[in-house]
C-alpha cells in the first residue's frame, strides 16, 4: 500500500478524532439519537479504515468502543457523564494509537480491558439502561424493509486494501440476503489488469435496521459506485427476492466525493508564501526602475504586474486564512475537564468563531489561550457557595470571542468571576522586587504585572497553578506574534483579557518613513494619522514633549533620539500618530514616503533581542528597512514618563 494513501488515512483519522471530541461533548448536552448515530459512524469509519491501512491495534480497540455505542443505539446503555468521561479517554487513546502505535501498544491492552469492564459496569443491573431496555422490549418490533443494493468498488480500491467480501459479509449480518455478481465491465482476458477491480454486486437485503445501518457499512468506500433503493415495508422477510436486472445510476458517488476542497500540506502553503514574498520585492524593484526610466509603455506593463501581484497576494493570504473556531473548539474539553477537577460548574460560550486569521498565528494560539482559560477558571471563578453568597448564579461562565478590526484580530477571554485583586497584585509585585514599595501605578499598569515572569498570587502550589509561568508564557507568545494585551477587570464582576493580533505574519501593509538617510516601516494597522510637527509645540513649559491633536495632548518621541542619531536639520518634520496597548504616541520622522506592501523578514539571531524592531524588509532598490515595533515604542515612552522613584523594573519587551 502506498505511503501517500497511508498518510491520507492518518490525516483523515486525525480530523475524525478531532470531530469525535466535539460530538461527544454535544452528545452529553443533548443525547438525541441522530447524535448517537454520528458518533457511531465516526467510530465505524476509523475501525474499518484502520484495519484496511494496517493500524490493527487502533482498529481492534475502536471495535470495543463501537460496541459500547451500539448498545446506546439499541437502548441498552444510557448516555450520562460517566459514559462521556469514558468515551473521551477512549478517544485520547485512539489518538495515541494513531500517532505512536508502538509507544501506545503497551497501554492499549490495559485500556481496552478498562473500557470493557467500565462498559459492563454501566450496563449492569439497576441502571437507567435497564429501564430503557425494558421499554424497548415492550415496544412493537420495527417492520422489515427490503433494500436493493448495487455496489461496485473503484478500480484502485483493491490495491488500497479494500475487502469487498468482508463488506458483503457485514451486510449479510443485517438480515436475509441474496447476492448476484455483475460481470458487465470485465474486459477480455488480454486486456485484463488483475490489480484492478472490474466486478460489481447486486444484493437484495431484508432488514429492520434501516437505511443508515446499510450506509454505515460502506462509509469508508467513498470512491465506490453505490445505490441503495428501499422498497415498501413488509410484515415478513423475503429472502429470495430477485436482484434488479440493471444497476441504477451511481447517485451517491458525487455526494460522497463532493465538497469542492482539497487537502494541502501546510509546508506547501508556507513555500508559496515565501515565493510570493520574493515576488513582491522584485515587483517593487521593477516599479522603481520604471519610474527612473520614465517609459510610458513600461509603466503600463508595471501597473498591470502590480495589479496581478496584489491579486495573487490577496488570494494566497486568503488561502492561508482559517476560521478561529478551529482553536475555539478545542477548549470545550479543557473547560469540562478542569471544572470537574476543581469541582466548579463552568460553561464555555464562544462567539465570532467564523473570524479568520492566518494559519501561522492559529498554530501558536492554542497554548496561550489554554493558560488564560485555566487561569480564569482557577483564579477568577469561585465555587458555587461563594458565588451564591455574592448574589451570582452557582455556575460560572467563560466567554471566548473574536472579532476583526482592520488588520488586527481581537480575541477576548472574559469571565464573570471575582475580578483581579489590585492590592494583592501590588503586594506580590513588591515582594518579588518587580516594583518599588513607594511606586505609584495606575490600575492598568498593575494589571499588566500579572504577565511578569514568575508572577503568581496563588497561595498554594497545585497541579493547575502557582508556579507563575502561565501568563508569562502568554506574554512571550503574544510578543513573538507582534501582538498586544489589554486587561480590563472589575472587582466582583469579572475580568476580560484581550489579545490584539495581526491577521497575517507574512505580508503587511506598511508606512515608509525616512529618518536621515535611513528608511523605516511602521505597520499601517497601528497608524491613526499623520500630521506636520509645529516647532512651537515641541517643548511646553512643563518640560513634557507633547503635541496638540485637536482637543487632546499626545506625547511624542523623536526617533532620532531613540536611535541615537544626530539631531535632524530638516526644516519641516512630520509626526506619525500610532496606537498600541490602548495608548497613543507620536513618532517624529523627517519625511513620510508613502504606503508599501511589506514582506516581513525575521532578524538574525544576533539582532532578535534588540528592542523596538519587529523584523526587517527589503525595499525596491535592494536596501534593507527595519520594521518598528509600535508596542515597544509606546512602552518606552511610558517608562520615560515615570520618575526614578516610581519607575517600573521591567524590560522594554
Amino acid at each position: 500500500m502506498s505511503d501517500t494513501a497511508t498518510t491520507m488515512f492518518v490525516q483523515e483519522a486525525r480530523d475524525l478524532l478531532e470531530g469525535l471530541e466535539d460530538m461527544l461533548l454535544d452528545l452529553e448536552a443533548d443525547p438525541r439519537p441522530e447524535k448517537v448515530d454520528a458518533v457511531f459512524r465516526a467510530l465505524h469509519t476509523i475501525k474499518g479504515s484502520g484495519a484496511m491501512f494496517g493500524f490493527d491495534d487502533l482498529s481492534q480497540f475502536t471495535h470495543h468502543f463501537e460496541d459500547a455505542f451500539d448498545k446506546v443505539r439499541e437502548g441498552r446503555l444510557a448516555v450520562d457523564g460517566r459514559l462521556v468521561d469514558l468515551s473521551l479517554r477512549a478517544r485520547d487513546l485512539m489518538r495515541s494509537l494513531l500517532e505512536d502505535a508502538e509507544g501506545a501498544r503497551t497501554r492499549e491492552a490495559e485500556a481496552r480491558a478498562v473500557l470493557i469492564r467500565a462498559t459492563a459496569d454501566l450496563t449492569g443491573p439497576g441502571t437507567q439502561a435497564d429501564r430503557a431496555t425494558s421499554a424497548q422490549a415492550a415496544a412493537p418490533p420495527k417492520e422489515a424493509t427490503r433494500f436493493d443494493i448495487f455496489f461496485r468498488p473503484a478500480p484502485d480500491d483493491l490495491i488500497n486494501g479494500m475487502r469487498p467480501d468482508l463488506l458483503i459479509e457485514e451486510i449479510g449480518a443485517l438480515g436475509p440476503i441474496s447476492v448476484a455478481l455483475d460481470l458487465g465491465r470485465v474486459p477480455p482476458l488480454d486486456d485484463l489488469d488483475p490489480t484492478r477491480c472490474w466486478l460489481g454486486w447486486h444484493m437484495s437485503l431484508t432488514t429492520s435496521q434501516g437505511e443508515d445501518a446499510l450506509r454505515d457499512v460502506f462509509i469508508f468506500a467513498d470512491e465506490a459506485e453505490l445505490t441503495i433503493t428501499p422498497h415498501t415495508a413488509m410484515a415478513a422477510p423475503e429472502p429470495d427476492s430477485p436482484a434488479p436486472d440493471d444497476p441504477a445510476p451511481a447517485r451517491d458517488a458525487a455526494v460522497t466525493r463532493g465538497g469542492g476542497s482539497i487537502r494541502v500540506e501546510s509546508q506547501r502553503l508556507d513555500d508559496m508564501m515565501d515565493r510570493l514574498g520574493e515576488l513582491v520585492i522584485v515587483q517593487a524593484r521593477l516599479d522603481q526602475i520604471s519610474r527612473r526610466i520614465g517609459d510610458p509603455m513600461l509603466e503600463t506593463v508595471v501597473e498591470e504586474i502590480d495589479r496581478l501581484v496584489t491579486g495573487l497576494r490577496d488570494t494566497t493570504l486568503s488561502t492561508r486564512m482559517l476560521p478561529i473556531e478551529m482553536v475555539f473548539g478545542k477548549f470545550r474539553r479543557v473547560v469540562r475537564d478542569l471544572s470537574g477537577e476543581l469541582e466548579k460548574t463552568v460553561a464555555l460560550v464562544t462567539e465570532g468563531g467564523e473570524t479568520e486569521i492566518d494559519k501561522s498565528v492559529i498554530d501558536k494560539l492554542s497554548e496561550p489561550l489554554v493558560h488564560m482559560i485555566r487561569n480564569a477558571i482557577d483564579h477568577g471563578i469561585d465555587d458555587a457557595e461563594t458565588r451564591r453568597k455574592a448574589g451570582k448564579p452557582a455556575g460560572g461562565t467563560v466567554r471566548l470571542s473574536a472579532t476583526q478590526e482592520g488588520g488586527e484580530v481581537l480575541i477576548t477571554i472574559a469571565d464573570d468571576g471575582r475580578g483581579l485583586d489590585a492590592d494583592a497584585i501590588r503586594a506580590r509585585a513588591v515582594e518579588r522586587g518587580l516594583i518599588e514599595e513607594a511606586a505609584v501605578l495606575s490600575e492598568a499598569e498593575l494589571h499588566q504585572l500579572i504577565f511578569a515572569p514568575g508572577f503568581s498570587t496563588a497561595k498554594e502550589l497545585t497541579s493547575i497553578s502557582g508556579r507563575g509561568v502561565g501568563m508569562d508564557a502568554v506574554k512571550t507568545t503574544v510578543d513573538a506574534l507582534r501582538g498586544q494585551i489589554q486587561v480590563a477587570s472589575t472587582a466582583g464582576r469579572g475580568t476580560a483579557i484581550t489579545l490584539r493580533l495581526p491577521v497575517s505574519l507574512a505580508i503587511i501593509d506598511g508606512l515608509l518613513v525616512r529618518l536621515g538617510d535611513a528608511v523605516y516601516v511602521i505597520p499601517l494597522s497601528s497608524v491613526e494619522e499623520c500630521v506636520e510637527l509645529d516647532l512651537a509645540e515641541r517643548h511646553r513649559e512643563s518640560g513634557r514633549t507633547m503635541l496638540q491633536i485637536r482637543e487632546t495632548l499626545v506625547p511624542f518621541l523623536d526617533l532620532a533620539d531613540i536611535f541615537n542619531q544626530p539631531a535632524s536639520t530638516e526644516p519641516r518634520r512630520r509626526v506619525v500618530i500610532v496606537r498600541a496597548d490602548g495608548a497613543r504616541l507620536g513618532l517624529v520622522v523627517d519625511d513620510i514616503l508613502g504606503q508599501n506592501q511589506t514582506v516581513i523578514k525575521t532578524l538574525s539571531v544576533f539582532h532578535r533581542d534588540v528592542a523596538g524592531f519587529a523584523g526587517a524588509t527589503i525595499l525596491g532598490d535592494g536596501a534593507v528597512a527595519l520594521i518598528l515595533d509600535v508596542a515597544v515604542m509606546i512602552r518606552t515612552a511610558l517608562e520615560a514618563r515615570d520618575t526614578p522613584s516610581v519607575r517600573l523594573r521591567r524590560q522594554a519587551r
Side-chain angles (χ1 to χ4, degrees), residues 10-26 42 46 88 91-92 94-95 98-99 263 325-333 366:
V10 170
Q11 184 57 56
E12 290 174 1
R14 285 178 186 149
D15 294 343
L16 280 170
L17 288 172
E18 290 292 333
L20 180 60
E21 182 171 283
D22 288 335
M23 291 178 197
L24 292 169
L25 295 171
D26 287 340
I46 295 172
L88 289 170
R91 175 262 176 202
D92 292 343
M94 289 171 64
R95 183 66 185 255
L98 178 69
E99 303 291 352
R263 190 183 304 279
E325 176 61 34
M326 296 184 64
V327 179
F328 284 5
K330 299 178 181 179
F331 301 126
R332 298 174 64 195
R333 174 82 178 274
S366 291

Side-chain angles (χ1 to χ4, degrees), residues 200-213:
W201 287 268
H202 298 280
M203 292 167 271
S204 181
L205 172 74
T206 302
T207 180
S208 60
Q209 297 297 314
E211 186 173 339
D212 285 345

Side-chain angles (χ1 to χ4, degrees), residues 105-395:
R105 187 167 294 162
T106 56
R107 304 190 298 273
E108 186 267 342
E110 179 182 354
R112 180 171 54 191
V114 170
L115 178 61
I116 296 169
R117 288 197 302 270
T119 304
D121 179 60
L122 287 172
T123 54
T127 63
Q128 181 182 348
D130 285 320
R131 294 191 291 275
T133 304
S134 300
Q136 184 187 38
K142 295 180 181 178
E143 291 183 322
T145 302
R146 179 168 64 84
F147 294 92
D148 290 334
I149 306 166
F150 177 72
F151 168 60
R152 189 194 305 277
D156 293 334
D157 278 351
L158 297 183
I159 298 176
N160 291 330
M162 177 183 284
R163 292 283 303 274
D165 56 327
L166 297 181
L167 296 180
I168 295 172
E169 181 181 338
E170 192 169 351
I171 284 288
L174 298 176
I177 187 174
S178 62
V179 182
L181 192 62
D182 187 304
L183 303 175
R185 292 191 184 176
V186 178
L189 187 60
D190 292 342
D191 300 329
L192 181 66
D193 182 349
T195 65
R196 298 172 68 82
C197 182
W198 307 101
L199 302 177
W201 287 268
H202 298 280
M203 292 167 271
S204 181
L205 172 74
T206 302
T207 180
S208 60
Q209 297 297 314
E211 186 173 339
D212 285 345
L214 276 68
R215 295 193 180 278
D216 286 345
V217 174
F218 298 101
I219 198 167
F220 53 88
D222 54 357
E223 296 295 328
E225 293 182 36
L226 175 67
T227 59
I228 300 176
T229 306
H231 291 274
T232 306
M234 57 194 69
E238 300 179 6
D240 298 324
S241 300
D245 293 333
D246 296 300
R251 294 179 290 108
D252 298 309
V255 175
T256 53
R257 296 178 194 171
S261 62
I262 60 173
R263 190 183 304 279
V264 179
E265 293 180 7
S266 60
Q267 184 58 48
R268 293 191 179 185
L269 291 179
D270 293 339
D271 292 343
M272 184 187 300
M273 183 55 68
D274 290 341
R275 300 293 187 275
L276 177 62
E278 298 301 323
L279 181 61
V280 169
I281 293 171
V282 172
Q283 185 272 331
R285 293 180 61 188
L286 182 61
D287 184 46
Q288 199 168 68
I289 292 172
S290 172
R291 288 199 302 269
R292 187 185 313 132
I293 294 176
D295 187 328
M297 293 184 62
L298 179 59
E299 289 177 356
T300 301
V301 174
V302 169
E303 287 177 2
E304 182 67 13
I305 292 176
D306 180 60
R307 185 183 64 81
L308 293 173
V309 170
T310 300
L312 180 61
R313 182 199 71 166
D314 293 342
T315 301
T316 305
L317 287 176
S318 67
T319 303
R320 292 167 54 94
M321 301 295 281
L322 298 173
I324 206 166
E325 176 61 34
M326 296 184 64
V327 179
F328 284 5
K330 299 178 181 179
F331 301 126
R332 298 174 64 195
R333 174 82 178 274
V334 173
V335 171
R336 182 186 186 276
D337 292 349
L338 189 58
S339 57
E341 184 178 348
L342 295 173
E343 298 181 350
K344 299 177 180 179
T345 303
V346 182
L348 176 66
V349 178
T350 60
E351 299 172 346
E354 70 281 359
T355 304
E356 293 188 336
I357 193 169
D358 193 286
K359 79 168 198 66
S360 58
V361 179
I362 280 186
D363 291 343
K364 298 177 176 66
L365 271 182
S366 291
E367 183 180 350
L369 290 179
V370 166
H371 284 306
M372 295 169 70
I373 290 173
R374 289 167 67 93
N375 207 57
I377 296 175
D378 189 22
H379 294 297
I381 296 178
D382 290 311
D383 58 77
E385 185 61 29
T386 304
R387 288 179 62 86
R388 287 193 191 97
K389 291 179 180 178
K392 296 182 178 181

Side-chain angles (χ1 to χ4, degrees), residues 568-587:
S568 175
T569 58
E570 297 280 342
R572 296 176 58 190
R573 307 190 71 199
R574 290 170 174 77
V575 183
V576 181
I577 308 299
V578 296
R579 178 182 289 274
D581 294 334
R584 301 173 76 199
L585 177 70
L587 299 177

